[in-house]
Every structure is written in C-alpha cells, then in structure tokens.
C-alpha cells in the first residue's frame, strides 16, 4: 500500500491542536501503540474486575452463576452500544470535525452526545425493568437462576443512564486522541470495585450481604463517580474539546447517529448471537451446560475490550486523516491496528483451546459445566484472532464514517452463527455443532472485513459533507 504523505499544511491545518497534528503526521505503528497501551492496560484491568465479580458470584452457587450468565449479554450490549457503537459515533464526529479544522462543531458534538446518551440510557433502563423477567424466562431461566438474574439485573439497569453519560464523555475525549483520562477513570473503577463487590455481596460486620445484587450495586457506584468526574473534566477546559451547553441542532445529532446508529446494529447482532446460542444450549442441555457455555463464551466477550484497546485509537486516527484527506495513510493505520489485534487475540484463543479447564475451573468445579465450556473453547478459540481483526477494522470504518457494508458483513456473521446453531438444535445434533457454527461465523467475519476494507472508498465519506482541508469550517 502506498505511503502517500499528508496534504500540504493549510491555514486551517496550521491552526490545529498539536495532538491533532500528531495524528496526521507521526509514524503509524508507534502512534497506534502509544494510543493503544492505555486502553489495553485498562481493558485488562476491567476484564480482571469482571472475572473477580464472576468468581465471587460463583461462590454463591450454580444458580447465581447461571443467573449472571443470563444478564451478561444485555449488560454487555449496553457497554458495547455506549462505548463502541454510539460512543464510536461521538468519537468519529469529534475526530472528523477536528481534522477539518471545525473546533466549535467538535465542542457542540460533546453536548449533543451527552443529551442523546442520557435519553438512550433512560429508555434502556425502562425497557429492562419492565421486560427483564419475560426476557430471562425466554432465555431458559427458572427457579433460583431466574431469581438471581432479576436481583442482579434490576440493580444494574436501574442505574444504566450513568453508564451512558459517562461513556458519552469518555468517547468525546477519545475522539481528540486522549486515551489517558478515560483510561484513568476505568482504573479508578477497578480499584473501587475489586474490594467493594465482595463487600456488598457477602457483607462484613454490621453491613448485611446483598447477595448477587451486591455486584450490581458496586457497578452502579462506580458509574456514578466516573460520570461525575468526567462531567467536571469536560467543563474544566483541560481537554481539546469542552462541554458547553447550547441549543440542540439536528446536524450535530446526525453526525453522531450516521455512524453510531449503524454501529449499534452491529453491537445488537453480536449480542443477539450470544443470547440465542445461550438459550439454545440451555434448552438443549440444561442449566449446567448453559453455565458452561456462558462462562466459556465470556472469554470471547473479553476479546471485545481487547479489540477495543487496539480499535478505539483507530477511530480518531482514521477519522482525523480522512477529514484531512490522507486516505491512504488512514487505510495503512486501519490494517496496522487490525494486525496487532489479530496476533494478540489469536494467542489468547489458542491458549484457551489447548487448556480450557485453566479458564473454566476458575469459576466452578462442576464437571458438566466444564465439559460444555471446554467443548466450546476448543472449537471457537482458534477463530478468536479473526474476530479481533474484523472488530478492529470495524472501528476503523467508524472513524471513516462508512458503516453500511461492514454492517452487511456483520449480518452475514449473525445469520451463519444463529442459523447454524438453530439447525443443530432442531436436528438434535451434539452441542459441538452449535459451537462450530459460531466459530465459522467468526472466521468469515474477519476475512470479509479485510477484503471490504481493501476496497472501501473512504474518500467518498470525506467528500460527502465534510469540510475540505483549507476551509475554516465555520
């Protein structure tokens, strides 16, 4: 691929913030690694927090573990929508505005993102509180597993608006290339949740244990504190962009939604695969197999933060370079980040396939649970690199503002995974055939995203409404 230089400096580009100029000019691989390491470190810490919480909940018994496995997909959907999908829309809009020299528009994107995300958070909270029980029943929950699912779910989703607003602000900062402040907030969350979660689950001294609901209260507490800090930071003038309140304008909402809405469909499909396959496994083989697949597939979910670690920098990097007209550099950035994500995820997947019990036995000693989870990891683990590769290129497409065709690729993955698993269920085939369908879908997803990115016309995205280099954008 060509290494064409960034267009010659213009009056607008000369006025750009030094951090924006670095996105346009610094060597690609070191730049990605420099921006990625805070995310990767934080994602590892955050993943560790989730594992610790799962460990403590698992000590409450199989019903609690199965209940948490049922809540995990909709909770992760909120995370993926607010961070990677709609959050990517905010990051992309901020990056493209800064790359084109439109600082005032970038500031307005922040306030529009906060307003939009607050509304979405309230809507999802109402939805899950009203329809959580029938949803979990449909997913195969009953008895103690259903009680545990509702106890955890009702707490987490009652406070989900805090998660949304926090991630709106964090995404705006990432759009400027600032990965350290959002990473610092998550690090604070790890330090808080690690002791707070078992304290609230089991109690201590006069403090009564709340059971599985205690884990939910620990998450809500962190979201409230993180949200408050980022609101202050975004108003303080310490960032490239600033949170200022102004009348809402459709054009700024549209800049977020044209990327975020399409990306949300991708996140919904990713979680739909997990939800449907979880339900099919539960109905076909019972609660122990459900817990085994849910615990095994949780490792796959942890690849999403890993892909986010490498992919989140690609949103501002690609967006800023597309905004400035450096299309070939933008694609080089995309494939460099995707290659780094592939290597890291593939190492994890192969290790999980070779020694699945090392992961599964952390959460339970139940033989049926470990057998089901091991069967899944042996088949799906070697495909994890393809999943991370495709996810990283999906983040790059967010930065370019071109998500129509990546969404079609995600739909193909969804149809392959769910369709194959459903056929295996109808034909009463062994569980491994369901897992094979999921694995095949991951490989197809990664390969197709690579081919799609090679032929993507990102220059059309730049010319489809973005201000050209040299224009003030005002």
């Amino acid at each position: 691929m060509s290494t064409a230089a960034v267009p010659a400096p213009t009056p607008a580009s000369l006025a750009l913030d030094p951090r924006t100029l670095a996105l346009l000019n610094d060597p690609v691989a070191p730049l990605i690694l420099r921006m990625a390491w805070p995310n990767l470190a934080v994602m590892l810490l955050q993943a560790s927090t989730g594992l610790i919480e799962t460990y403590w909940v698992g000590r409450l018994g199989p019903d609690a573990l199965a209940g948490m496995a049922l809540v995990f997909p909709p909770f992760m959907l909120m995370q993926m929508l607010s961070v990677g999908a709609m959050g990517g829309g905010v990051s992309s809009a901020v990056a493209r505005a800064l790359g084109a020299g439109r600082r005032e528009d970038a500031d307005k994107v922040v306030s529009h993102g906060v307003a939009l995300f607050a509304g979405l958070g309230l809507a999802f909270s109402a939805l899950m509180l009203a329809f959580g029980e029938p949803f979990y029943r449909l997913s195969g929950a009953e008895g103690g597993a259903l009680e545990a699912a509702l106890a955890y779910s009702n707490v987490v989703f009652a406070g989900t608006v805090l998660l949304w607003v926090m991630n709106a602000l964090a995404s705006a900062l990432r759009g400027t290339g600032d990965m350290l402040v959002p990473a610092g907030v998550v690090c604070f969350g790890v330090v808080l949740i690690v002791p707070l979660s078992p304290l609230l689950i089991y109690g201590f001294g006069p403090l009564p244990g709340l059971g599985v609901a205690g884990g939910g209260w620990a998450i809500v507490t962190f979201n409230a504190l993180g949200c408050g800090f980022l609101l202050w930071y975004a108003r303080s003038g310490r960032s490239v962009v600033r949170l200022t309140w102004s009348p809402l304008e459709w054009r700024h909402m549209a800049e977020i939604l044209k990327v975020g809405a399409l990306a949300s469909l991708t996140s919904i499909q990713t979680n739909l695969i997990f939800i449907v396959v979880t339900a099919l496994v539960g109905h076909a083989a019972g609660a122990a197999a459900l817990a085994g697949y849910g615990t095994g597939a949780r490792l796959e979910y942890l690849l999403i933060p890993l892909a986010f670690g490498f992919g989140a920098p690609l949103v501002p990097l690609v967006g800023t370079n597309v905004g400035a007209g450096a299309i070939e550099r933008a694609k080089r950035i995309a494939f460099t980040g995707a290659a780094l994500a592939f290597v890291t995820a593939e190492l994890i997947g192969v290790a999980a396939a070779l020694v699945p019990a090392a992961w599964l036995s952390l959460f339970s000693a139940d033989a049926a649970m470990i057998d089901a989870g091991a069967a899944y990891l042996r088949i799906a683990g070697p495909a994890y690199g393809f999943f991370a590769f495709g996810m990283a290129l999906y983040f790059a497409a967010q930065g370019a503002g071109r998500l129509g065709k990546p969404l079609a690729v995600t739909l193909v993955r969804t149809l392959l995974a769910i369709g194959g698993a459903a056929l295996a269920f109808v034909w009463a085939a062994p569980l491994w055939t369901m897992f094979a369908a999921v694995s095949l879908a991951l490989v197809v997803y990664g390969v197709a995203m690579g081919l799609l990115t090679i032929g993507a016309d990102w220059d059309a995205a730049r010319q489809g409404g973005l201000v050209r280099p040299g224009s003030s954008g005002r």
Side-chain angles (χ1 to χ4, degrees):
M1 186 170 291
S2 171
T3 57
V6 174
T10 65
S13 67
L14 290 173
L16 295 178
D17 183 90
R19 279 174 285 189
T20 302
L21 289 173
L23 305 187
L24 294 170
N25 294 290
D26 285 5
V28 170
L31 180 60
I32 293 174
L33 291 172
R34 186 170 72 241
M35 294 176 68
W37 79 258
N39 285 325
L40 290 170
V42 165
M43 291 304 112
L44 289 174
L45 288 173
Q46 198 171 39
S48 299
T49 303
L51 297 180
I52 290 169
E53 185 180 42
T54 303
Y55 171 83
W56 288 118
V57 169
R59 302 306 98 182
L60 296 173
D63 282 343
L65 190 60
M68 192 174 185
L70 289 165
V71 180
F72 192 63
F75 177 70
M76 280 301 297
L77 177 60
M78 294 302 96
Q79 290 271 27
M80 292 172 66
L81 288 175
S82 61
V83 177
M86 293 300 297
V90 172
S91 296
S92 176
V94 167
R96 285 181 281 118
L98 291 175
R102 298 181 285 124
R103 172 68 177 272
E104 184 180 342
D105 283 350
D107 288 344
K108 289 182 178 180
V109 168
V110 183
S111 60
H112 283 68
V114 169
L116 177 61
F117 279 40
L120 290 171
L122 291 171
F124 278 110
S125 180
L127 185 67
M128 288 305 298
L129 291 175
F131 300 106
E133 182 173 353
F135 170 77
Y136 297 128
R137 286 188 184 276
L138 186 63
S139 298
E142 58 183 20
L146 178 61
E147 292 177 7
L150 290 173
Y152 186 75
S153 175
N154 288 342
V155 172
V156 167
F157 286 105
T160 196
V161 65
L162 298 168
L163 171 72
W164 278 86
V165 173
M166 179 177 68
N167 284 330
L169 295 164
S171 297
L173 295 179
R174 292 188 187 102
T176 70
D178 182 356
M179 304 292 163
L180 285 174
V181 170
V185 171
V186 176
C187 285
F188 164 75
V190 173
V191 173
L192 176 70
I193 289 176
V194 166
L196 186 60
S197 185
L199 177 65
L200 295 178
I201 290 172
Y202 294 101
F204 182 78
L207 182 69
L210 302 176
V212 67
W217 279 113
I219 291 173
V220 171
T221 301
F222 158 60
N223 289 339
L225 295 174
C227 183
F229 171 79
L230 287 177
L231 280 170
W232 168 80
Y233 187 84
R235 292 280 294 169
S236 69
R238 289 170 169 79
S239 172
V240 175
V241 291
R242 184 172 184 175
L243 175 61
T244 57
W245 305 113
S246 59
L248 297 180
E249 301 177 52
W250 171 246
R251 68 188 181 98
H252 296 302
M253 289 290 189
E255 280 294 302
I256 297 171
L257 289 170
K258 75 178 185 180
V259 172
L262 285 177
S264 296
L265 295 177
T266 299
S267 296
I268 290 169
Q269 290 180 71
T270 298
N271 282 271
L272 183 63
I273 293 171
F274 187 84
I275 291 169
V276 172
V277 176
T278 297
L280 291 175
V281 169
H283 285 297
L290 184 154
Y293 168 70
T295 305
R298 192 179 181 100
L299 184 60
E300 181 181 329
Y301 261 110
L302 294 180
L303 294 180
I304 295 172
L306 173 67
F308 179 80
F310 285 109
L314 301 185
V315 178
L317 281 168
V318 170
T320 303
N321 280 273
V322 167
I327 306 302
E328 293 185 11
R329 173 178 165 87
K331 286 200 175 185
R332 190 153 44 88
I333 287 169
F335 278 105
T336 302
L340 292 169
F342 176 89
V343 171
T344 308
E346 190 67 9
L347 290 173
I348 294 172
V350 170
L354 292 174
V355 284
W359 167 264
L360 298 165
S361 60
L362 292 174
F363 309 104
S364 175
D366 183 81
M369 185 280 269
I370 292 177
D371 286 346
Y376 169 75
L377 289 174
R378 289 192 186 102
I379 294 171
Y384 282 175
F386 293 91
F387 176 64
F389 183 81
M391 281 289 292
L393 291 178
Y394 154 80
F395 280 110
Q398 274 189 308
R402 305 292 284 184
L403 280 178
K405 291 179 180 179
L407 177 61
V409 171
T410 306
L411 179 60
V412 171
R413 176 197 164 203
T414 302
L415 293 175
L416 283 174
I418 292 179
L423 286 176
F425 176 78
V426 170
W427 293 338
L431 278 181
W432 70 263
T433 57
M434 293 188 188
F435 306 152
V438 174
S439 181
L440 174 63
L442 294 177
V443 174
V444 170
Y445 175 67
V447 172
M449 281 298 298
L451 295 174
L452 184 64
T453 305
I454 290 173
D457 185 6
W458 286 352
D459 191 53
R462 170 175 166 262
Q463 297 185 33
L466 292 176
V467 179
R468 305 236 179 182
S471 169
S472 68
R474 299 187 185 276

